């Protein structure tokens, strides 16, 4: 329950913890665009170590992290390979094309996981008329597929393809720690499979703002310049980075609770006539339910649920997305499932 609502729309609604608020108030700061902000630097160093990379860069959002990484890896006129339902394709305002100047080549995955052979087949051969493939992006966990997890071996198989062709590999790891917790491996094992990665502090980890890019020292130097070009240097950013430090130091392990709750919610929702829940894809903190059996668009179902104080996202015309996070408890999930059952019953009458 958050502000009196059963709010399952996103894990981005999570509010900073008391410890974060205190750390923000006490943060040592400097000018990030001059000699540097000590707290931002501490967060970057901690994050680089956590992800097993040489260096890291603090950015305002996951969207900015992906765009800065894309700009740092590629040149205008190249092509990037993305999974068909990648967040970068659907919901980053086409920055990859509008700002990055890239053509996008989408490869259909299974539950968001691309087969290495399909990625290889999408790589452009050297031909006068073709654009060059400049980048391959993976997403772990995969948002639109329902929070599905790429295993380390699946990522390694794509890494081998990228390596054979000399193409850089970027990970949109907005929820990399959900993947790490679900797989039971350190996040650095996941990040080791790609040249660069981004992750978000502001989703399940509950920081108010911020994401991190990791990669080699050289890559991060280039990324820093691109971030500046986009107006992303944060001056006394230590005030927000302080919350990010608390997030990476204390909030990762508890993601397992969100995963268990998503499973509980999914199982309850799957018993409601008219709803379809693909339990196979419920691997982390996301549950997707297809509502076409109820005879109305997902947006209408979301509206009826909101009238019952349950808030969900109509992610597609026929699909609702429910996300679990630290402001929803088992009793909240149970109450929401009961409300969903009532809405379904009303619609089926
Ligand atoms: C997979 C993925 N990548 C990137 C982003 C973008 O993050 P932000 O909202 O911080 O820009 C999101 C946000 O939901 C996401 O789910």
């Amino acid at each position: 329950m958050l502000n009196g609502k059963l709010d399952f729309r996103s894990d981005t609604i999570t509010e900073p913890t008391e410890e974060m608020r205190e750390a923000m108030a006490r943060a040592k700061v400097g000018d990030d665009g001059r000699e540097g902000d000590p707290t931002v630097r501490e967060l970057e160093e901690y994050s680089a170590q956590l992800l097993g990379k040489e260096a890291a860069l603090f950015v305002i959002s996951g969207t900015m992290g992906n765009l800065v990484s894309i700009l740092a890896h590629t040149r205008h006129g190249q092509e990037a390979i993305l999974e068909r339902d990648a967040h970068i394709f659907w919901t980053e305002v086409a920055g990859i094309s509008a700002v990055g100047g890239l053509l996008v080549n989408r490869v259909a995955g299974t539950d968001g996981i691309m087969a290495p052979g399909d990625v290889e087949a999408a790589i452009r051969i050297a031909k006068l008329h073709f654009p060059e493939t400049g980048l391959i992006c993976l997403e772990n966990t995969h948002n639109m597929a329902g929070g599905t997890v790429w295993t380390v071996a699946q990522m390694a198989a794509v890494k081998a393809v990228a390596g054979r062709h000399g193409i850089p590999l970027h990970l949109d790891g907005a929820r990399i720690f959900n993947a790490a917790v679900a797989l039971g491996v350190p996040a650095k094992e996941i990040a080791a499979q790609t040249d660069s990665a981004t992750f978000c502090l502001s989703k399940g980890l509950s920081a108010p703002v911020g994401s991190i890019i990791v990669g080699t020292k050289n890559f991060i130097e280039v990324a820093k310049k691109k971030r500046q070009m986009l107006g992303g240097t944060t001056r006394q950013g230590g005030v927000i980075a302080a919350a990010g430090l608390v997030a990476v130091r204390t909030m990762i392990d508890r993601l397992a609770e969100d995963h268990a709750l998503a499973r509980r919610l999914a199982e309850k929702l799957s018993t409601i006539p008219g709803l379809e829940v693909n339990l196979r894809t419920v691997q982390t903190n996301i549950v997707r339910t297809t509502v076409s059996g109820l005879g109305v668009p997902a947006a209408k179902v979301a509206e009826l649920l909101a009238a019952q104080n349950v808030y969900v996202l109509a992610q597609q015309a026929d699909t609702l997305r429910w996300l679990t996070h630290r402001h929803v408890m088992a009793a909240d999930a149970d109450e929401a499932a009961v409300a969903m059952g009532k809405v379904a019953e009303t619609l089926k009458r």
Side-chain angles (χ1 to χ4, degrees):
M1 188 81 77
L2 179 64
N3 302 321
K5 292 179 179 172
L6 297 174
D7 198 337
F8 296 87
R9 288 172 303 161
S10 180
D11 46 7
T12 59
I13 67 155
T14 46
E15 297 193 350
T17 62
E18 277 314 305
E19 192 183 343
M20 287 177 189
R21 290 178 191 273
E22 276 165 29
M24 290 168 80
R26 284 187 273 104
K28 286 203 181 76
V29 294
D31 188 337
D32 192 36
R34 296 179 194 279
E35 61 283 354
D37 176 295
T39 308
V40 169
R41 241 188 250 148
E42 193 181 345
L43 173 61
E44 290 172 343
E45 282 166 14
Y46 187 92
S47 300
Q49 265 196 7
L50 188 63
L51 275 286
K53 296 286 194 207
E54 284 175 15
L57 185 68
F58 182 57
V59 289
I60 288 304
S61 65
T63 301
M64 184 183 269
N66 283 333
L67 183 55
V68 165
S69 302
I70 289 162
L71 290 174
H73 277 303
T74 62
R75 294 189 311 278
H76 270 220
Q78 290 185 322
E79 186 169 79
I81 295 176
L82 307 181
E83 202 279 327
R84 179 190 52 197
D85 289 329
H87 193 276
I88 293 173
F89 175 78
W90 281 106
T91 29
E92 298 188 9
V93 209
I96 188 168
S97 303
V99 185
L102 300 186
L103 195 62
V104 167
N105 188 350
R106 292 156 75 206
V107 170
T110 304
D111 298 338
I113 315 299
M114 295 183 283
D118 292 347
V119 174
E120 188 144 33
I123 293 171
R124 301 287 197 147
I125 54 164
K127 190 177 175 199
L128 178 64
H129 310 82
F130 285 176
E132 263 172 42
T133 303
L135 184 65
I136 301 169
C137 298
L138 310 183
E139 188 174 313
N140 199 6
T141 66
H142 193 295
N143 181 341
M144 285 274 279
T148 49
V149 180
W150 284 73
T151 64
V152 173
Q154 285 166 333
M155 291 180 72
V158 176
K159 179 188 179 187
V161 170
R164 263 203 305 282
H165 293 267
I167 299 167
L169 191 56
H170 171 70
L171 172 65
D172 176 354
R175 296 185 180 81
I176 192 173
F177 298 111
N178 294 86
V181 166
L183 292 171
V185 302
K188 61 170 72 164
E189 269 190 46
I190 299 173
Q193 307 312 316
T194 59
D195 300 292
S196 60
T198 53
F199 70 83
C200 293
L201 301 158
S202 59
K203 298 192 162 67
L205 302 188
S206 298
V209 183
S211 293
I212 297 283
I213 306 172
V214 294
T216 62
K217 263 196 190 123
N218 283 347
F219 173 79
I220 292 298
E221 276 312 305
V222 178
K224 203 166 188 174
K225 191 103 179 162
K226 302 296 181 189
R227 182 188 68 168
Q228 172 65 20
M229 188 175 74
L230 298 176
T233 303
T234 57
R235 301 299 182 195
Q236 286 76 41
V239 172
I240 45 178
L245 266 168
V246 176
V248 281
R249 284 186 175 137
T250 70
M251 301 296 284
I252 294 172
D253 292 345
R254 65 151 308 287
L255 295 172
E257 295 168 32
D258 300 344
H259 299 178
L261 192 57
R263 168 68 33 191
R264 177 185 178 115
L265 176 66
E267 281 171 3
K268 289 193 184 275
L269 293 173
S270 70
T271 64
I272 298 173
L275 283 198
E276 252 179 61
V277 184
N278 184 347
L279 290 172
R280 191 188 65 243
T281 62
V282 184
Q283 300 169 10
T284 54
N285 66 333
I286 302 181
V287 179
R288 276 164 56 90
T289 53
T290 309
V291 298
S292 30
L294 297 177
V296 292
K300 179 66 188 170
V301 181
E303 196 185 303
L304 294 169
L305 276 169
Q308 305 274 326
N309 200 33
V310 175
Y311 295 82
V312 295
L313 184 76
Q315 197 174 30
Q316 283 167 284
D318 63 350
T319 306
L320 294 176
R321 191 191 73 175
W322 310 63
L323 253 101
T324 52
H325 50 77
R326 72 182 187 86
H327 298 300
V328 285
M329 307 292 140
D332 299 330
D334 294 354
E335 196 178 327
V338 169
M340 182 66 243
K342 280 189 196 148
V343 166
E345 219 177 286
T346 319
L347 286 170
K348 294 214 89 173
R349 241 182 245 143

